Amino acid sequence: MTTFVHTSDWQLGMTRRFLRHGADDRYAAARTDAIRAIGAVARETGAEFVVVAGDVFESNQVGRRVILQALEALRSVPVPVYLLPANHDPLTRASVYTAPVFTDHCPDHVHVVTTDDPIQVTPEVELVGAPWPAKRLAANPLHAVLDRLEPAAGIYRIALAHGAMDGPVEFPDSAAAINYNDVRSALLDKRIHYLALGDRHSYTLVGGDERIVYSGTPEVTAFRDPDPGYVNVVRLGPDGARSEKRRVGTWHFLESGFEISSRADADDCVRQIEALPDKPRTVLRLHLAGVVDLGLAALLQARFSHWEDLFAALEVDVARLHTAVPDDDPLWERFGGFAAKTVASLRDTVAAGGPDAETARDALLLLLAVTTDAAAMATPPPRNREAAP
């Protein structure tokens, strides 16, 4: 029996420009801290080594600071670590893995898989990697590896690869797809016993098979990732492979929707959002629909402003949230003179519809904000902010 940790898609050096108030620095630090968390998992589970199935770095052009911080974090991992170059950090002439800052400071127990030659990891385990020699390939290098392998005798053989699978979890946006049937064949005739995959950012047992696994990224990268934030603890024995996902991620990308047509609906929305834990490490995308009056709309805008200062990033979609502007609303009684004429003009624009109606509605909300008690009112959030993925 042998135990190891399978992880992938660290993409160290990744930036997220939509993050606010220093959250981008916290996010970058969390991606490096995940390496230490992986080391802790290895220690707790008695793992003998760690394999990283590609995209360790965001690119070959990451800065010196990113590389040094990654290597420093890797020093804390108590077992050998094997890094596979993939499409983000391929083995080109400008490879990050051949840069002096990497080679001069790389810990002795950290190994870059630069060829597809078998590596004897332990007396009973052999690792065969399929590194990417370029950012774009016509065929995944794993297939050349599988084609030349003979059935393993007296050892467990792990294949380490990166790319989309053209079977049960097809991911058509990726290049150099891996043929699912070829992998199944290699497992059946014992050429390999486990395939450690990278590229898909969500934890996935391909076809429900614990021997063909995408570990996913240890920290979420986008809303489209349905199950990120894990590593896979693998136990290989005579009965095959057993996979166990372990959470190491600390960030969350959450998407929520609410139908609001009353103060009670708005209060329920606020209660649920306020109850979310760890807001500084949460990116929130909020979809609102319904019809509200101006007073309720202004109060909601105040909440948006408040949440913007709490969450790592906030994106509010109000395309389906309509604000009613009735003629008899008592809110209009506060305006007189020049302000009354301005309000009347804006209300006419809203009533007429057209491309300026939304801007006029926001202007009315702003007028309510500056003429109403409370720091409870605020300017609506910018509508053209860069959206989170």
Side-chain angles (χ1 to χ4, degrees):
M1 173 75 73
T2 187
T3 301
F4 65 96
V5 176
H6 162 206
T7 177
S8 70
D9 298 278
W10 294 356
Q11 291 183 225
L12 302 170
M14 171 185 284
T15 58
R16 283 291 181 253
R17 289 176 293 172
F18 56 83
L19 296 175
R20 297 166 55 82
H21 310 310
D24 49 346
D25 291 334
R26 296 198 304 274
Y27 182 73
R31 300 192 75 78
T32 303
D33 289 342
I35 300 173
R36 296 182 176 88
I38 291 166
V41 170
R43 188 178 295 108
E44 291 164 10
T45 59
E48 297 173 71
F49 56 92
V50 174
V51 296
V52 188
D55 289 355
V56 177
F57 293 97
E58 175 70 357
S59 75
N60 280 332
Q61 287 73 49
V62 293
R64 176 182 177 87
R65 178 182 176 86
V66 171
I67 297 169
L68 289 175
Q69 289 183 343
L71 295 176
E72 185 64 22
L74 280 163
R75 290 183 196 281
S76 70
V77 179
V79 294
V81 181
Y82 296 86
L83 309 177
L84 181 76
N87 60 301
H88 274 262
D89 50 7
L91 287 174
T92 63
R93 290 182 179 180
S95 172
V96 63
Y97 300 109
T98 58
V101 65
F102 185 92
T103 58
D104 291 350
H105 299 279
C106 185
D108 292 340
H109 70 289
V110 175
H111 311 279
V112 180
V113 180
T114 58
T115 74
D116 57 8
D117 295 332
I119 302 168
Q120 198 73 33
V121 176
T122 72
E124 62 177 2
V125 177
E126 184 177 88
L127 177 66
V128 182
W132 283 50
K135 189 171 181 64
R136 293 178 178 82
L137 301 176
N140 196 287
L142 175 65
H143 292 294
V145 173
L146 296 180
D147 288 345
R148 66 173 173 77
L149 288 177
E150 297 293 333
I155 60 169
Y156 299 115
R157 184 180 287 148
I158 300 163
L160 186 60
H162 191 90
M165 180 74 68
D166 68 356
V169 292
E170 182 178 0
F171 193 3
D173 291 338
S174 294
I178 296 168
N179 185 276
Y180 175 68
N181 290 330
D182 285 354
V183 172
R184 289 282 299 166
S185 176
L187 287 165
L188 287 171
D189 61 22
K190 307 299 183 183
R191 282 177 283 156
I192 63 173
H193 297 89
Y194 179 85
L195 175 58
L197 287 166
D199 185 54
R200 187 175 175 87
H201 284 196
S202 292
Y203 184 91
T204 307
L205 304 181
V206 179
D209 194 329
E210 294 183 64
R211 301 169 298 173
I212 313 173
V213 181
Y214 286 97
S215 64
T217 178
E219 281 290 358
V220 61
T221 60
F223 286 102
R224 63 177 175 268
D225 302 339
D227 201 20
Y230 296 94
V231 298
N232 195 35
V233 177
V234 186
R235 295 177 174 85
L236 274 178
D239 297 330
R242 293 292 177 265
S243 290
E244 175 194 357
K245 69 178 183 181
R246 287 288 192 100
R247 181 156 190 90
V248 295
T250 59
W251 277 68
H252 307 275
F253 281 33
L254 300 180
E255 194 161 9
S256 298
F258 295 89
E259 184 81 23
I260 298 178
S261 297
S262 68
R263 181 59 185 263
D265 293 339
D267 288 344
D268 180 59
C269 169
V270 169
R271 275 194 301 270
Q272 291 191 45
I273 301 304
E274 292 287 356
L276 291 175
D278 203 9
K279 295 178 181 63
R281 290 177 180 262
T282 299
V283 178
L284 177 63
R285 178 180 285 169
L286 192 57
H287 302 276
L288 301 181
V291 179
V292 296
D293 60 31
L294 276 169
L296 189 51
L299 289 172
L300 286 172
Q301 296 289 7
R303 285 291 91 191
F304 301 158
S305 180
H306 176 70
W307 291 334
E308 281 187 316
D309 290 330
L310 296 178
F311 287 93
L314 174 69
E315 179 185 335
V316 182
D317 168 23
V318 291
R320 296 176 56 236
L321 183 67
H322 304 290
T323 306
V325 189
D327 290 335
D328 59 351
D329 196 309
L331 290 170
W332 305 130
E333 296 176 3
R334 74 184 65 184
F335 299 105
F338 175 77
K341 293 179 181 179
T342 301
V343 167
S345 176
L346 290 170
R347 291 171 64 191
D348 289 344
T349 302
V350 171
D356 296 328
E358 188 172 357
T359 301
R361 185 178 290 108
D362 285 346
L364 286 171
L365 290 174
L366 178 59
L367 280 170
L368 286 173
V370 298
T371 58
T372 299
D373 174 33
M377 302 295 183
T379 308
R383 296 183 181 276
N384 297 322
R385 183 183 306 135
E386 177 189 3

